[in-house]
Amino acid sequence: DAGVIQSPRHEVTEMGQEVTLRCKPISGHDYLFWYRQTMMRGLELLIYFNNNVPIDDSGMPEDRFSAKMPNASFSTLKIQPSEPRDSAVYFCASSLGDRIYNEQFFGPGTRLTVL
Amino acid sequence: AQSVTQPDIHITVSEGASLELRCNYSYGATPYLFWYVQSPGQGLQLLLKYFSGDTLVQGIKGFEAEFKRSQSSFNLRKPSVHWSDAAEYFCAVGAYNQGGKLIFGQGTELSVKP
């Protein structure tokens, strides 16, 4: 299995531009999570999906952030417009099953820099 | 509200020495507890997890952790550290009624001296 795939691995953009991060979960997994990692705030859960449906988006910082999961094998996290404080590493993770003890498998992350 | 505290931001140990990374949690019921490791430039990898039963759990790469309810702790240990263990370690807590949602600690960065 290829694991969770994220693209791009690095993104540098200018303030005000739209940024789209992509994630392909492990085939067959029915939960997908988006996290953000910064020095100041650590690892934060932004949103998670079950069977392509958003379940909890309480971690999404503001309306500039949106996430979609059009099908079981693809999800996007969009920031529009981007701001320098959005600079962070964004991780996608997936898991199988509805039990908390099911392991979340993390992708390698996308390092976003907003100038 | 659930929370996780990792008191040590950075720890340095000599290769071959023992290691203990601290984790304290706040949760009203029996927690589900995890330790993840993040190598530089990589995503997080699960080391071990605790849900119930034996309070001493074994994980991958020779790590173990002990759940102590009285101290609200779930410390990670390894008897002999290898240089390849240098990484960042995250403790996390989850709730049985919140799907897969995990709350992570701030992480502890481990450096290993030769």
Side-chain angles (χ1 to χ4, degrees), chain B residues 49-70:
Chain B
K49 56 190 176 184
Y50 170 80
F51 306 117
S52 64
D54 193 347
T55 57
L56 184 63
V57 293
Q58 303 295 322
I60 62 171
K61 305 185 180 186
F63 285 92
E64 65 178 27
E66 185 171 13
F67 170 60
K68 293 186 177 180
R69 184 187 301 276
S70 61

Side-chain angles (χ1 to χ4, degrees), chain B residues 17-64:
Chain B
S18 63
L19 170 70
E20 182 168 28
L21 302 182
R22 297 184 290 165
C23 172
N24 293 98
Y25 67 89
S26 173
Y27 183 61
T30 299
Y32 294 85
L33 295 162
F34 306 78
W35 275 100
Y36 280 83
V37 61
Q38 183 181 26
S39 299
Q42 303 295 315
L44 280 70
Q45 180 185 20
L46 181 67
L47 282 176
L48 47 78
K49 56 190 176 184
Y50 170 80
F51 306 117
S52 64
D54 193 347
T55 57
L56 184 63
V57 293
Q58 303 295 322
I60 62 171
K61 305 185 180 186
F63 285 92
E64 65 178 27

Side-chain angles (χ1 to χ4, degrees), chain A residues 56-114:
Chain A
D56 184 346
D57 65 354
S58 59
M60 295 286 264
E62 47 196 278
D63 292 345
R64 297 184 297 107
F65 286 70
S66 62
K68 294 182 179 179
M69 192 165 185
N71 57 62
S73 58
F74 183 66
S75 177
T76 60
L77 178 67
K78 186 175 294 187
I79 308 172
Q80 166 63 17
S82 58
E83 297 182 3
R85 59 192 168 119
D86 301 330
S87 297
V89 181
Y90 291 81
F91 288 102
C92 176
S94 69
S95 68
L96 175 63
D98 62 352
R99 295 290 182 258
I100 180 62
Y101 44 77
N102 292 320
E103 179 180 352
Q104 293 185 23
F105 292 83
F106 283 75
T110 295
R111 182 174 295 277
L112 173 65
T113 303
V114 183

Side-chain angles (χ1 to χ4, degrees), chain A:
Chain A
D1 198 318
V4 176
I5 299 173
Q6 292 187 247
S7 65
R9 292 294 307 276
H10 302 273
E11 176 80 36
V12 180
T13 190
E14 293 187 345
M15 183 173 62
Q17 297 298 305
E18 178 180 294
V19 175
T20 300
L21 311 181
R22 296 173 177 80
C23 174
K24 176 178 170 56
I26 292 173
S27 177
H29 281 191
D30 54 352
Y31 277 80
L32 185 138
F33 307 83
W34 281 102
Y35 292 89
R36 179 174 66 175
Q37 185 179 39
T38 61
M39 289 293 291
M40 290 297 295
R41 301 175 66 91
L43 197 62
E44 305 172 277
L45 177 65
L46 300 177
I47 185 171
Y48 76 93
F49 296 82
N50 175 220
N51 290 324
N52 314 337
V53 176
I55 302 301
D56 184 346
D57 65 354
S58 59
M60 295 286 264
E62 47 196 278
D63 292 345
R64 297 184 297 107
F65 286 70
S66 62
K68 294 182 179 179
M69 192 165 185
N71 57 62
S73 58
F74 183 66
S75 177
T76 60
L77 178 67
K78 186 175 294 187
I79 308 172
Q80 166 63 17
S82 58
E83 297 182 3
R85 59 192 168 119
D86 301 330
S87 297
V89 181
Y90 291 81
F91 288 102
C92 176
S94 69
S95 68
L96 175 63
D98 62 352
R99 295 290 182 258
I100 180 62
Y101 44 77
N102 292 320
E103 179 180 352
Q104 293 185 23
F105 292 83
F106 283 75
T110 295
R111 182 174 295 277
L112 173 65
T113 303
V114 183
L115 303 174

